[in-house]
Amino acid sequence: MPNGCIGLISFGTTSYYLKKEKRMKPLLEMKNIVIEGNTGESWDPIIRGLDLTLGKGEVLGLIGESGAGKSTLGLASMGYTRQGCRIASGSIVFDGHELFNASEADMRPIRGARIAYVAQSAAASFNPAHRLIRQYAEGPVQHGLMSAAEAEEKAITTYEQLLLPDPENIGYRFPHQVSGGQLQRAMVAMAMSCQPDIIIFDEPTTALDVTTQIEVLAAIKKITRRFNTAAIYITHDLAVVAQLADRIMVLRYGELVEENDAREMLAHPREPYTRDLLAVRSFKKGKSDSDSKKDVILEIDDVTASYTGVDNVLEEIDLKIRRGRTVALVGESGSGKSTLARVITGLLPPVKGRVLFKGQELSAALKSRKREDLQRLQMIYQMPDTALNPRQKIRKIIGRPLKFYFNYSRKKQEECILYLLDQIELPGDYIDRYPTELSGGEKQRICIARALAAQPDLIICDEVTSALDQLVAEGILKLLLNLQRKLQVSYLFITHDLATVKAISDEIVVMLNGRIVEKGSKKEILKPPHHEYTDLLLSSVPEMDPGWLDSLLKARAIRENTVPHL
């Protein structure tokens, strides 16, 4: 290969020389991989004879809906499976070493040091009791690559490369003391601590708002390019993977649907399923006509709230939601969206102001509210892993509100649960599964079914589609709209996905630093001119163009008279 060829490769484009090297010397080669899951009675296939190759410095995108086997295949590249799964057959060769059936002693020098993993939820992955820099240093120290002092010095350099604020000191914070986007970048830094050959990114930006997502995508792109690190990027968002991947594999039901160069696949998808993935969010909600004052179901009147009693996290919030309508609440992490939901549900009493439901003031504290108030106002939380009791079967999780609010018999409960499972497109036999036996998207659908079981007038949806693949998310949004038409239920949709906002909302409320900076009908908010912050949000939505991220960063750098660090 000619000297310096790697440095000349533009993002999203793989040179002839790089392609040639990858064909000749794959860094990772997986052949005829079969992975099975234990259902309790038998071992059933999850991955069905898949092949995967990855060259040095190459970024491979794995996309597909929930349950397609993306994360399972990604983890298998480390010779690892989650509890209840096993690699039944196949070959996994990494840099000449066979990982299938390798001993733990053989795998220990590889996992973390040569193949690293970045999980979807940084908040759940970090140890809350240890500072970030200590967790960064743990890997290289344990692998004997450097001393703790050397690792901490390297951490500061890596934080600086990832454009984390105050790189000399941010590592000495605890995980809860940084934002979601900063924590995700800290996890990328930790994955890079041993300078691995491969990093597996498992949905690292799914739960992030669009402005934070840009920062993390830019950081991932920069770090993989600078160190010529190969990567497997797992996602259900084609627009995101388009910014990073050289090649894309589309999976469904544990089988390969299509594989091709990223640009070629985006421009000319061969398979109908791939074309469906590219065509999502094609529907839009029809116009609602509930505009009279008597149709106001929820009113937030001059609400200010604080967690400490000193610093306010919400300032003078005024908001109305009408029957049968959807209000989308958008803004970056920390803008106050979820805090407002906590005030509405009584989890955080306001410092001043009122919450009125159908014209009646609600008690500020949850414990003082009537059962009828609890039933009429339900919430679907962002993180299904923490919202579902792992020790309870789906039957009990969905059945609890049916028993609590309506005192249904066991037979009536089962009928309703099976109906709700059908509505959220899950098989009836899921009724006796535990949450740990479901994918992330399936868990979120169970949360939706539990909220619907109470037959509420208003549902607060806190990032309910952020963990779902695009096809399933579209199905859920259509389901929610159908229920809205039938039942005239109202939604407060907290989201960072502006495609969802455009598809489902009647009105849009934009929040920043605990205040509403803009609100109005969907048509008013999406039509220029925008508020400066609204414009930033809209411009940060990834497009199905491999060059979009580069162009956006260059344009912003020119505007700020700086050079992008890429």
Side-chain angles (χ1 to χ4, degrees):
M1 181 190 299
N3 290 334
C5 188
I6 290 290
L8 295 175
I9 297 172
S10 63
F11 292 147
T13 305
T14 308
S15 73
Y16 166 79
Y17 296 106
L18 192 54
K19 286 182 179 178
K20 183 177 180 180
E21 181 183 72
K22 289 167 189 169
R23 285 198 302 265
M24 292 173 61
K25 297 178 181 179
L27 180 62
L28 175 70
E29 190 169 16
M30 304 173 70
K31 291 185 176 180
N32 199 27
I33 298 297
V34 175
I35 301 175
E36 298 174 335
N38 190 347
T39 62
E41 299 178 354
S42 62
W43 289 90
D44 295 336
I46 299 172
I47 300 294
R48 307 165 186 266
L50 277 177
D51 296 339
L52 181 152
T53 60
L54 185 68
K56 187 171 180 60
E58 181 184 24
V59 178
L60 172 66
L62 290 184
I63 66 169
E65 60 191 82
S66 300
K70 307 183 298 295
S71 296
T72 302
L73 184 62
L75 289 171
S77 68
M78 306 173 70
Y80 178 82
T81 60
R82 291 193 175 103
Q83 186 176 1
C85 298
R86 68 182 184 187
I87 303 173
S89 61
S91 172
I92 306 168
V93 178
F94 166 69
D95 198 20
H97 302 283
E98 175 61 65
L99 305 188
F100 178 52
N101 282 336
S103 67
E104 285 299 312
D106 290 334
M107 292 304 305
R108 200 167 294 121
I110 293 175
R111 291 180 185 151
R114 300 200 62 193
I115 306 178
Y117 177 76
V118 176
Q120 176 177 347
S121 174
S125 301
F126 276 94
N127 188 326
H130 296 298
R131 300 181 192 275
L132 297 175
I133 202 161
R134 180 178 175 183
Q135 297 184 62
Y136 175 100
E138 184 178 4
V141 170
Q142 288 290 328
H143 286 286
L145 300 176
M146 60 189 76
S147 67
E150 291 171 331
E152 290 189 9
E153 186 177 339
K154 185 182 176 185
I156 294 171
T157 302
T158 309
Y159 293 154
E160 187 174 11
Q161 291 169 343
L162 292 174
L163 304 181
L164 280 163
D166 193 13
E168 291 84 5
N169 298 305
I170 194 170
Y172 297 97
R173 298 182 190 177
F174 290 96
H176 70 275
Q177 294 176 315
V178 299
S179 71
Q182 291 169 356
L183 197 60
Q184 201 70 32
R185 280 181 282 170
M187 181 176 282
V188 174
M190 192 162 65
M192 288 299 303
S193 63
C194 297
Q195 204 162 325
D197 299 284
I198 299 173
I199 301 179
I200 300 156
F201 295 100
D202 194 353
E203 303 269 15
T205 64
T206 296
L208 303 178
D209 61 78
V210 287
T211 54
T212 306
Q213 179 177 252
I214 294 299
E215 298 172 357
V216 175
L217 288 176
I220 291 172
K221 204 164 198 180
K222 173 183 179 180
I223 212 77
T224 52
R225 180 178 187 244
R226 173 170 295 211
F227 295 102
N228 198 29
T229 306
I232 297 175
Y233 195 98
I234 298 165
T235 183
H236 57 248
D237 191 335
L238 260 171
V240 167
V241 83
Q243 311 311 315
L244 301 169
D246 301 302
R247 185 163 47 93
I248 296 174
M249 291 176 64
V250 182
L251 305 184
R252 192 182 194 192
Y253 305 138
E255 297 179 339
L256 179 66
V257 174
E258 184 173 351
E259 179 178 3
N260 208 339
D261 172 84
R263 287 182 178 272
E264 180 64 25
M265 181 178 290
L266 293 170
H268 306 291
R270 295 192 301 263
E271 299 299 324
Y273 179 69
T274 310
R275 290 196 289 270
D276 287 344
L277 287 175
L278 289 165
V280 294
R281 295 295 194 276
S282 56
F283 78 98
K284 290 186 179 181
K285 183 180 180 182
K287 188 177 185 292
S288 298
D289 53 11
S290 175
D291 287 314
S292 66
K293 290 183 179 180
K294 68 179 182 180
D295 286 326
V296 173
I297 194 168
L298 180 78
E299 182 176 359
I300 312 299
D301 180 23
D302 195 30
V303 161
T304 294
S306 172
Y307 287 110
T308 63
V310 179
D311 299 317
N312 292 333
V313 289
L314 294 177
E315 294 272 6
E316 301 173 350
I317 301 297
D318 290 296
L319 178 66
K320 293 180 181 179
I321 302 176
R322 291 176 172 80
R323 177 177 296 281
R325 300 193 67 154
T326 300
V327 174
L329 194 60
V330 299
E332 62 188 37
S333 300
S335 62
K337 306 186 300 297
S338 295
T339 299
L340 180 57
R342 293 175 66 85
V343 170
I344 295 170
T345 54
L347 296 174
L348 178 66
V351 173
K352 72 167 187 173
R354 303 180 301 162
V355 178
L356 296 95
F357 198 85
K358 292 186 175 179
Q360 300 296 315
E361 184 173 351
L362 292 176
S363 298
L366 177 66
K367 62 182 180 181
S368 302
R369 294 187 179 179
K370 301 175 184 177
R371 181 173 297 195
E372 182 185 358
D373 294 333
L374 301 179
Q375 180 220 328
R376 295 186 303 172
L377 201 161
Q378 292 289 306
M379 184 165 178
I380 305 168
Y381 296 91
Q382 179 177 356
M383 302 299 294
D385 285 327
T386 57
L388 299 176
N389 189 330
R391 296 184 178 182
Q392 292 181 352
K393 291 185 177 181
I394 304 306
R395 178 190 299 274
K396 187 169 184 178
I397 290 171
I398 301 178
R400 186 176 181 182
L402 297 171
K403 176 68 175 177
F404 183 74
Y405 293 120
F406 309 113
N407 198 28
Y408 283 168
S409 66
R410 288 188 177 182
K411 182 179 179 181
K412 181 66 173 177
Q413 285 181 46
E414 182 162 342
E415 290 175 1
C416 291
I417 294 166
L418 291 173
Y419 171 77
L420 288 166
L421 287 174
D422 180 66
Q423 290 297 299
I424 59 171
E425 301 175 357
L426 289 180
D429 60 9
Y430 274 45
I431 193 171
D432 287 316
R433 291 196 181 189
Y434 290 96
T436 53
E437 298 175 295
L438 308 182
S439 70
E442 290 168 342
K443 291 175 190 175
Q444 191 62 291
R445 283 182 270 175
I446 295 299
C447 291
I448 293 170
R450 180 174 59 183
L452 293 173
Q455 300 176 26
D457 295 312
L458 172 68
I459 300 178
I460 301 172
C461 303
D462 191 355
E463 302 281 10
V464 296
T465 58
S466 66
L468 303 178
D469 62 81
Q470 293 179 331
L471 287 177
V472 174
E474 179 152 334
I476 291 296
L477 294 177
K478 288 180 177 178
L479 169 64
L480 291 172
L481 288 179
N482 286 336
L483 290 166
Q484 190 174 60
R485 280 191 286 268
K486 292 177 185 176
L487 307 174
Q488 284 295 289
V489 64
S490 304
Y491 300 127
L492 176 61
F493 235 87
I494 300 171
T495 183
H496 62 255
D497 183 355
L498 291 184
T500 296
V501 171
K502 294 174 183 178
I504 199 170
S505 67
D506 297 297
E507 299 170 45
I508 299 174
V509 176
V510 183
M511 291 190 68
L512 177 65
N513 297 329
R515 291 181 177 272
I516 293 176
V517 297
E518 192 169 13
K519 63 180 177 180
S521 69
K522 176 169 61 175
K523 184 177 180 181
E524 291 170 346
I525 299 300
L526 296 180
K527 183 179 179 181
H530 308 295
H531 182 278
E532 182 180 359
Y533 179 66
T534 307
D535 186 61
L536 176 66
L537 288 176
L538 293 171
S539 68
S540 298
V541 180
E543 297 176 5
M544 209 77 70
D545 172 13
W548 171 82
L549 180 60
D550 294 336
S551 300
L552 177 70
L553 294 174
K554 287 176 183 176
R556 289 184 179 178
I558 292 170
R559 194 179 310 152
E560 297 168 6
N561 294 317
T562 59
V563 178
H565 300 280
L566 289 174

